[in-house]
């Protein structure tokens, strides 16, 4: 089964030199992958040539004349740059020409454009960003929201849990993945009102056998792998994820400095290079690149802006896996089961409300 | 100048075997330290004997018949166990018999007991917990609040910034330490209403030359050492700190497993043992043990419950340094300068309000 993926080739710090190279590498090792490379045709063509991949049967170019930069305000991405590579790539998903989209562009703009073009799924008030982190059980911990929603109500966290559960069920082949609610302690009395009320909603779903709610988890449970999914609001999730990334860089520089500090230490590192490799594989943040924008009527994946080719391929891999495992209909079915259908709204009203809300949210 | 410190010897997972041993070790290397060891006299006496430290001129025992356990609800610690080692140790500070207190007991109980016994400082609505983390500049990053307040208003975050600034000024000999406000992005428009309004208050203080407000910082700035102080609410702070600790343990187990995985890797680690030692010194969470309970009319320090002797000594060191550098009057002077004085309240009403508020907060 062929999976078509649209790539916002101009997005990210490095643009086509990373995005096109990653797509070429991926298409060469994955016979079921097909790419629609979106952006400035001449530049993409040149990159394909550089990567010795002209006229590949599973790669085509879709021209787009504008680029959403990292500094562009959401309004500019939404209202001015209508032919941006980001918007065109997302529109390919909407039109059914691609099953998933990958972009390394500005997160806030990507969320706003995706929301505007694709719309949210029935039952979803607010889309969320979900990514994975490594844990001591050698399995991924899925965490959401990582920054799309800085203020959340219990209803939103509840929806994040449902969407996360459907995502993990599809990707990890676990029928009922466990859900932890990020809190300052494990006891029910801990935390603020929002998490306490969210816990009530999740306990009710658990009692009905609809979700596998573990209960409250603490920050250290992310790495213990206590639950498959960790749910939190976008403020807490974003701060925590960035603190973890910052600590990762700090650990890496401490290790590098220590092993380079003397010839003897360098020799030790050389002899133990097997160990160094395995540490680097587990700790390498590139292996965890690729956040899903969940809750939209289409699959969109966000790569880190600074991703290199290797890291960007991981984001493509996540998009490919999600499309292959039909994550979209799994989430949609879960939402239909657990959430009441919303009032139908006229498309125009929905559009305007959606843009305004997105802008007012000023996503991270 | 002698600094008298009261030790809640019965608190923590290991009790006197850790707390007494740490006090003995500290008193032997620090001629200006004097200890009041609080708890079951016979047990403390036995531990002193075990540590060959009977009849030390700078160690005395203060008997206390009860112990606040890790599971005791705040109400029990406050209302029932009036002769607990925790409460007696804090009361010694109130009575001026000790200049600081150290406890490894239950955080919520310690905060509630300290608040009840010592009262908050004029101008402080809510005390906060402040600890240090390492950063790439080889300096400490001070972070608060780490879990005393799960719901904060701008006023509270503003007070945390003032208290943190006075603490760092005193301990690090920096007249105007820089303050960062933890957020999901550095731009002023980022974040929720609470952080935006807090930033306004801090910008006003900065404009008046009263505080050195850097602006918003992100999670990764904690380890970059972008600012001396990182201010956040207790929910975000607690989750972030525990995530960091969890990642620390994950990194440690990954390193240990990798270097033990083959004789060659073990040999490499042996040869590079200088590097391994320096990594361990930077990363060892024990070196960062000891959180200050800021905003009280007395110095109280919280050690990790699971601290070993080495780690507990670090908590004692922080208490010693704070008392020696007169942190209390520095914070008090800053609050008087930056915050309007509160309405005077009758002591009894204040007590009851304080207990009830503390209980209703259900600190982390």
């Amino acid at each position: 089964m062929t999976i078509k993926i649209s790539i916002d080739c101009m997005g990210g710090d490095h643009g086509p030199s990373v995005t096109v190279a990653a797509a070429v590498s991926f298409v060469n090792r994955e016979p079921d992958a097909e790419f629609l490379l979106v952006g400035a045709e001449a530049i993409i063509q040149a990159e394909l040539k550089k990567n010795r991949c002209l006229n590949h049967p599973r790669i085509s170019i879709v021209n787009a004349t504008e680029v959403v930069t990292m500094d562009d305000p959401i309004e500019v991405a939404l209202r001015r740059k209508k032919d941006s590579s980001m918007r065109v790539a997302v529109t390919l998903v909407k039109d059914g020409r691609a099953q998933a989209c990958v972009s390394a562009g500005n997160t806030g703009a990507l969320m706003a454009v995706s929301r505007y073009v694709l719309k949210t799924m029935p039952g979803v008030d607010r889309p969320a960003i979900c990514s994975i982190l490594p844990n001591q059980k050698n399995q991924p911990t899925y965490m959401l929201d990582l920054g799309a929603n800085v203020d959340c109500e219990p209803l939103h966290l509840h929806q994040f849990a449902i969407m996360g559960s459907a995502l993990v069920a599809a990707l990890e082949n676990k029928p009922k993945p466990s859900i932890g609610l990020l809190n300052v302690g494990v006891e029910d009395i801990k935390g603020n009102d929002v998490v306490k009320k969210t816990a009530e909603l999740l306990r009710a779903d658990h009692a009905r056998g609809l979700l596998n709610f573990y209960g409250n988890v603490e920050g250290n449970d992310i790495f213990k792998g206590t639950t498959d999914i960790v749910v939190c609001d976008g403020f807490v999730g974003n701060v925590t994820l960035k603190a973890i990334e910052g600590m990762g860089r700090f650990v890496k520089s401490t290790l590098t400095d220590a092993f380079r500090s003397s010839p003897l230490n360098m020799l030790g590192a050389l002899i133990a290079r097997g160990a160094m490799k395995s540490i680097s594989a587990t700790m390498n943040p590139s292996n965890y690149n690729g956040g899903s924008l969940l809750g939209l009527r289409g699959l969109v994946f966000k790569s880190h802006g600074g991703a290199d080719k290797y890291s960007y391929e991981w984001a493509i891999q996540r998009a490919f896996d999600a499309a292959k495992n039909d994550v979209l209909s799994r989430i949609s079915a879960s939402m239909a089961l657990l959430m009441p259908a919303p009032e139908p709204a006229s498309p125009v009203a929905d559009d305007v409300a959606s843009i305004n809300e997105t802008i007012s949210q000023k996503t991270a």
Side-chain angles (χ1 to χ4, degrees), chain A:
Chain A
M1 181 183 65
T2 304
I3 305 290
K4 288 189 194 173
I5 298 171
S6 62
I7 303 280
D8 165 15
C9 288
M10 315 309 281
D13 300 346
H14 311 296
S17 68
V18 157
T19 56
V20 173
V24 168
S25 170
F26 196 89
V27 87
N28 284 334
R29 67 179 165 82
E30 179 48 69
D32 285 345
E34 186 173 333
F35 287 98
L36 298 165
L37 304 183
V38 186
E41 191 162 5
I43 299 175
I44 294 174
Q45 201 65 263
E47 280 299 329
L48 284 172
K49 196 174 169 191
K50 214 186 279 174
N51 285 277
R52 298 178 192 185
C53 190
L54 287 172
N55 306 318
H56 192 288
R58 288 181 282 117
I59 289 184
S60 44
I61 299 175
V62 178
N63 192 46
T65 56
E66 291 171 304
V67 177
V68 173
T69 68
M70 294 311 253
D71 306 321
D72 273 341
I74 290 172
E75 297 89 292
V76 170
L78 264 182
R79 297 198 174 123
R80 302 248 182 93
K81 297 188 171 174
K82 293 193 177 172
D83 197 38
S84 71
S85 55
M86 182 189 277
R87 179 141 169 192
V88 173
V90 173
T91 305
L92 288 169
V93 174
K94 179 178 186 272
D95 295 344
R97 290 178 59 197
Q99 285 144 281
C101 166
V102 178
S103 173
N106 177 335
T107 310
L110 181 62
M111 181 56 100
V113 164
S114 301
R115 227 180 135 159
Y116 178 73
V117 170
L118 295 171
K119 308 286 176 292
T120 52
M121 211 176 251
V124 174
D125 285 79
R126 295 206 201 150
I129 301 173
C130 181
S131 270
I132 60 171
L133 287 163
N135 69 42
Q136 289 184 332
K137 291 182 178 166
N138 265 321
Q139 286 170 351
T141 299
Y142 287 75
M143 191 164 163
L144 77 167
D145 172 32
L146 296 175
N149 308 282
V150 294
D151 274 310
C152 289
E153 296 300 316
L155 169 78
H156 304 128
L157 295 177
H158 184 207
Q159 292 175 4
F160 300 166
I162 298 169
M163 294 194 288
S165 180
L167 176 79
V168 178
L171 290 181
E172 303 290 332
N173 199 21
K174 287 187 176 181
K176 287 226 182 132
S178 55
I179 300 163
L181 182 62
L182 197 57
N183 201 340
V184 295
V186 293
E187 304 84 355
D188 288 350
I189 57 152
K190 285 288 171 77
N192 53 31
D193 280 349
V194 172
V195 293
K196 283 186 214 167
K197 281 177 187 152
T198 306
E200 280 172 29
L201 296 171
L202 291 171
R203 271 194 293 269
D205 288 342
H206 184 88
R208 288 162 65 208
L210 298 172
L211 284 181
N212 177 10
F213 179 51
Y214 171 89
N216 290 330
V217 292
E218 299 182 83
N220 50 334
D221 288 300
I222 299 166
F223 292 98
K224 274 192 196 167
T226 307
T227 54
D228 297 309
I229 302 152
V230 171
V231 172
C232 57
D233 74 46
F235 193 98
V236 172
N238 186 277
V239 164
T240 306
L241 183 74
K242 285 178 182 163
I244 289 167
E245 288 172 351
M247 182 171 171
R249 275 189 286 276
F250 177 57
V251 168
K252 199 180 164 192
S253 75
T254 303
L255 291 181
T256 311
D257 290 352
F259 284 115
R260 281 192 187 151
S261 61
S262 79
L264 208 60
N265 289 331
M266 285 169 82
L267 178 68
L270 189 70
I271 291 172
R273 63 185 173 278
M276 301 299 279
K277 258 194 186 168
S278 114
I279 293 162
S280 162
T282 308
M283 297 290 161
N284 191 349
S286 295
N287 296 355
Y288 310 102
N289 189 27
S292 338
L293 272 53
L294 292 183
L296 301 164
R297 299 180 197 220
L299 293 173
V300 179
F301 283 76
K302 164 77 176 93
S303 160
H304 248 288
D308 60 9
K309 181 188 140 194
Y310 173 80
S311 179
Y312 199 85
E313 270 194 73
W314 270 110
I316 296 176
Q317 183 73 54
R318 310 244 181 271
F320 181 85
D321 292 343
K324 198 164 183 177
N325 288 289
D326 208 7
V327 159
L328 211 58
S329 35
R330 300 285 288 264
I331 296 180
S332 182
S334 287
M335 289 309 301
L337 185 67
L338 281 98
M339 280 283 139
E343 296 293 311
S346 77
V348 177
D350 187 35
D351 282 6
V352 174
S354 166
I355 298 179
N356 289 338
E357 196 190 336
T358 306
I359 291 172
S360 76
Q361 272 182 53
K362 295 187 185 79
T363 54

